[in-house]
Amino acid sequence: QVQPVESGGGLVQAGGSLRLSCAASGRTFSGYTVGWFRQAPGKEREFVGAIRWSGGRTDYADSVKGRFTISRDNAKNTVYLQMNSLKPEDTAVYSCAAQISPTYYFDHTNYHYWGQGTQVTVSS
């Protein structure tokens, strides 16, 4: 099994940038789809974006397209979520997760392994 571990959350001003990291322990991300999700107080968990480790294809929610970028570092076995032009509505707990199927990457119920989450707060 693979265990994702997130880091990089914090407080940032609106319009600023932040980079989150998701490192794999236990085994590599090879053969997995890695997704990013977020959940704000009183709201459902929301799909942010995902990357197929093999080939590096990415997909994003409409709410973050053009602002967020997902990438991977094979040598470090780490996935990154680069967040630019942050807005107060981006405030949430961000989690990364992994699954072996690339098909339904937008649905959190299809992911097998989850990190503990990291808080991102964007001030206005």
Side-chain angles (χ1 to χ4, degrees), residues 36-60:
W36 285 95
F37 296 83
R38 65 186 184 186
Q39 188 167 22
K43 294 186 177 181
E44 298 291 324
R45 189 175 302 185
E46 178 187 18
F47 170 74
V48 176
I51 184 170
R52 294 183 184 181
W53 191 267
S54 179
R57 179 174 178 172
T58 56
D59 290 287
Y60 303 93

Side-chain angles (χ1 to χ4, degrees), residues 36-38 46-50 58-68 70 81 105-106:
W36 285 95
F37 296 83
R38 65 186 184 186
E46 178 187 18
F47 170 74
V48 176
T58 56
D59 290 287
Y60 303 93
D62 289 340
S63 60
V64 305
K65 285 181 179 177
R67 299 189 297 122
F68 291 10
I70 298 174
L81 178 64
Y105 53 85
F106 50 84

Side-chain angles (χ1 to χ4, degrees), residues 5-12 16-23 36 67-73 76 78-86 94 118-120 122:
V5 180
E6 305 99 331
S7 62
L11 176 64
V12 65
S17 298
L18 201 63
R19 189 181 74 167
L20 306 183
S21 299
C22 177
W36 285 95
R67 299 189 297 122
F68 291 10
T69 303
I70 298 174
S71 61
R72 74 196 196 284
D73 187 324
K76 296 182 178 180
T78 298
V79 172
Y80 301 99
L81 178 64
Q82 178 67 47
M83 303 183 291
N84 299 325
S85 301
L86 283 163
Y94 285 71
T118 185
Q119 176 71 47
V120 172
V122 184

